[in-house]
Amino acid sequence: MTPPAEQRDERILGFLEGRELVPVGELAEHLGVSAVTVRKDLDRLVRSAVIERVRGGARLRSAEEGPLAERLGQRVGAKRAVARRAAELVGADAVIVIDSSSTGYYLALELSDRTDVTVVTNSLRVASQLAERNGPAVVVLGGTVRRTSFSTVGFPAEVLRGYGTIDLAFLGVSALSPEQGLLERSFSEAETKRAMASAAQLVIGLFDSSKASGFGQHAVVPATDVSRLITDDEFSEADAAPWRALGVTVDRALQGNSRS
């Protein structure tokens, strides 16, 4: 029996990770489907800007477009698992913030068919992807374009608060700690995310488990202002326990269709 499209996407992305090029025939054999089905799957993933087609096959998006494109091709299974869990928290008629993180981008893809959601974002890639779908309403925050993250930065917090009630802010991180909270390497990114957090009722950190050993010198929000962390199942219980002791919910999404 042919696996569902979502499962095939997951397996394709996992198979491509760390490989320069995978031929269509090899993908078809790996999935147990026809080459025609694989080509349709690849076309769908190309439209999501996650992979690129090359003669005879496909590969994850190259780093030629900058660091964001590179991050989109790293730990794909973990980020998609995190994004699926995050999407479950978005209720009907919700107004949410999605930042310019790669995990935030995967969340946007999960919500791309939700016509009952409003997405406020500083990510030009998120905005362009959602604009191509008949899905969420999109509000793009103005500011200076930061090319490395394909985002806007430098808008005042008052601008965001002027939109009214924002239910959830989904923020990626460079690093995190119970002592310092959510952290970023870039001052402008940290400043922008603080503005987003200040306008939202709840702040949710999105990250793959590699960020447990990451580094960031600019604080975004303290741990006590974080409502929930969503990461993957490789984030250890030892790392999760101090956050839970502070009253923060920690979701460790399994890299499949379940979670813990």
Side-chain angles (χ1 to χ4, degrees), residues 80-103:
R80 286 173 65 90
V82 170
R84 282 195 297 270
R85 172 58 186 140
E88 294 174 4
L89 302 179
V90 180
D93 301 318
V95 180
I96 67 171
V97 163
I98 298 179
D99 69 0
S100 59
S101 64
S102 56
T103 309

Side-chain angles (χ1 to χ4, degrees), residues 97-100 121-123 141-144 146 149 151-157 160 169 171 184 186-199 218-221:
V97 163
I98 298 179
D99 69 0
S100 59
T121 186
N122 72 321
S123 169
L141 298 168
T144 302
R146 186 169 185 260
S149 57
S151 65
T152 58
V153 296
F155 52 84
L160 254 178
L171 305 180
E184 273 295 333
S186 162
F187 174 79
S188 61
E189 288 284 350
E191 186 178 46
T192 296
K193 292 182 182 187
R194 277 196 298 273
M196 292 173 163
S198 71
H218 301 291
V220 176
V221 293

Side-chain angles (χ1 to χ4, degrees), residues 44-60:
R44 182 174 59 253
L45 290 169
V46 166
R47 289 194 296 272
S48 296
V50 178
I51 70 166
E52 55 189 355
R53 294 292 301 272
V54 292
R55 186 175 180 83
R59 64 186 178 191
L60 292 171

Side-chain angles (χ1 to χ4, degrees), residues 137-151:
V138 182
V139 177
V140 183
L141 298 168
T144 302
V145 173
R146 186 169 185 260
R147 289 181 174 83
T148 54
S149 57
F150 208 53
S151 65

